[in-house]
Every structure is written in structure tokens, then in C-alpha cells.
Amino acid sequence: MDCRAQMLQVIKLLCQERLIMGTWGNISVREDNHFWITPSAMPYTAIQTKDLVKINLQTEEAEGLWKPSSEWRLHAACYQSRTDCKAVIHTHSVYATAFAVAGAPIPAAVEDLIQIVGGEVEVADYALPGSFTLAENAVKALGAKNAVLLANHGLVGLGRDLEEALNVCRIVEKTAQIIVAAKTLGPLSAIDPADIQAMRQYYLTSYGPELQKEEK
Ligand SMILES: [Zn+2]
């Protein structure tokens, strides 16, 4: 499927699952030497493929009918700093943003988060939305992981494709909810750093559907 058609599908899911609302949040996908991003301030229910904006990763020139999302620098910085990154989704989902407001990283205490993100979700230093500094701070706090919180703002999720970036946003939001619930029950139980690394490695190299081997 064309990556722009896939973007529309993912936008629909993000709205249905209330990970994005109104015109807030933005998504992009890398294709060759450019990326496609949602336009600025357009309601998600109205966006069509012709409304998506193309941005060149070298020149940072935008091409399209509308102005790109004001967070285009954040998306560009993710692609420029991470060759493995092929899709970026930025949401203001409620529980993830609650951690971002509290300045509290989401701990690596749930296995699916560890596998898909690579460890705890750090909080990037505060900067104004749409600024170069926000993009710089986000990439710095992101490191080699697939998600980062923007202080007092929201979440950025990355993936090797759009589906993975969507799952990152879903799993981070779910984990944030779990941590809040678990804390009401008592202290969190930690996972050994060596196990965290092993789970991440397994996910990156071996996870996925596999046909059963035929018995001989
Ligand atoms: Zn935002």
C-alpha cells in the first residue's frame, strides 16, 4: 500500500483509540530522501492524501498544498539522527502526558514496553512547541529507544514502519495507565537490566510470526 494511504489508515486508528484528538498530534513516514507529514491545524477527520506535505530531509524544503505540522522539525530530527526510523507519531495521549507533566519517566516495568521501546521512556527537557530546541532535546533524550516524552507536552513514538510507531504509542499509553494503577497497589517490582536487554534484543532480532517447522 502507498505510504500516504497507510498514513490515513493510521490517523483513523489514532482517532478511534483517542490517542489523538482534534488537530493535536501529528504523524509522518519516511520515503527515500523525504518524509510525508500531516498538515498544520487541519482536523484529522478531514485529511486526505492530497493534504499531506512532503519535506526533503536534506534541504528541509516543504512541498504541498498546506503548511506542514508545526512539529515538522521534531520529525525531521528523528529521521536525521536515526537511520532505522521510518515513521514518527506524536500524540498528547492522556496518561503518557501525565508522566510528561510530572517530569517522571515511564519505568521499564512491563515486558511489552521493554521489547518495543527498549527500556524506560525518558522525559526530554522542556522547550516551546515547534522549536529547534524541542527537536534537539527530544532526540537527545530518545537515544536508541523508540519513544520519548516531551516535558509538559506529550509523547513521540518511532518505528521501523508506521505500524510499529502506532504500536509504540499504544503500548506507552497502556504502560502509563498500568504504572499509575500498580502504584496504588504498592511499590513496583523492578526487572533486572540484563533481562531488559535480552528482551529488547529478542524483539529486534527474532520477534514476529513464524511458520511451525514440519516434523520429520
Ligand atoms: Zn504536540
Side-chain angles (χ1 to χ4, degrees):
M1 186 192 291
D2 173 75
C3 67
R4 283 177 292 169
Q6 206 193 351
M7 280 173 80
L8 295 194
Q9 276 194 345
V10 169
I11 287 170
K12 207 169 157 191
L13 290 169
L14 287 163
C15 291
Q16 275 171 7
E17 297 174 29
R18 300 185 65 77
L19 291 169
I20 56 174
M21 281 168 247
T23 60
W24 283 275
N26 31 74
I27 89 168
S28 71
V29 64
R30 189 207 291 254
E31 190 184 56
D32 306 323
N33 198 30
H34 57 263
F35 65 97
W36 294 97
I37 189 165
T38 42
S40 176
M42 187 177 286
Y44 280 102
T45 46
I47 295 176
Q48 298 176 27
T49 48
K50 66 175 174 53
D51 301 316
L52 299 168
V53 185
K54 187 179 181 179
I55 297 185
N56 185 300
L57 272 167
Q58 244 107 60
T59 62
E60 298 190 340
E61 270 168 344
E63 203 183 303
L65 288 171
W66 309 100
K67 264 174 51 179
S69 159
S70 56
E71 293 297 5
W72 67 267
R73 290 182 189 90
L74 175 66
H75 292 250
C78 291
Y79 295 122
Q80 286 157 350
S81 71
R82 290 273 297 273
T83 51
D84 62 321
C85 172
K86 299 286 191 283
V88 178
I89 300 179
H90 166 50
T91 77
H92 297 170
S93 64
V94 177
Y95 279 80
T97 306
F99 277 81
V101 169
I106 302 173
V110 187
E111 291 182 341
D112 50 9
L113 178 91
I114 291 167
Q115 293 191 20
I116 202 162
V117 167
E120 72 172 10
V121 187
E122 310 275 357
V123 188
D125 289 342
Y126 183 81
L128 284 172
S131 63
F132 278 112
T133 315
L134 179 85
E136 267 174 19
N137 292 353
V139 162
K140 196 170 146 203
L142 178 69
K145 292 178 194 161
N146 272 14
V148 65
L149 294 170
L150 307 176
N152 304 82
H153 182 162
L155 165 71
V156 183
L158 271 62
R160 292 170 288 185
D161 53 34
L162 262 178
E163 194 186 353
E164 189 173 53
L166 172 64
N167 281 331
V168 166
C169 293
R170 286 168 166 160
I171 300 285
V172 171
E173 178 62 17
K174 178 180 76 83
T175 306
Q177 293 180 25
I178 290 169
I179 298 298
V180 170
K183 280 186 170 176
T184 67
L185 302 172
L188 303 180
S189 82
I191 298 180
D192 191 278
D195 290 338
I196 291 177
Q197 220 181 342
M199 274 187 267
R200 175 64 170 160
Q201 214 42 43
Y202 168 77
Y203 172 81
L204 286 175
T205 55
S206 316
Y207 184 73
E210 200 176 327
L211 290 169
Q212 294 232 41
K213 288 190 181 71
E214 276 181 47
E215 284 189 32
K216 287 183 183 159

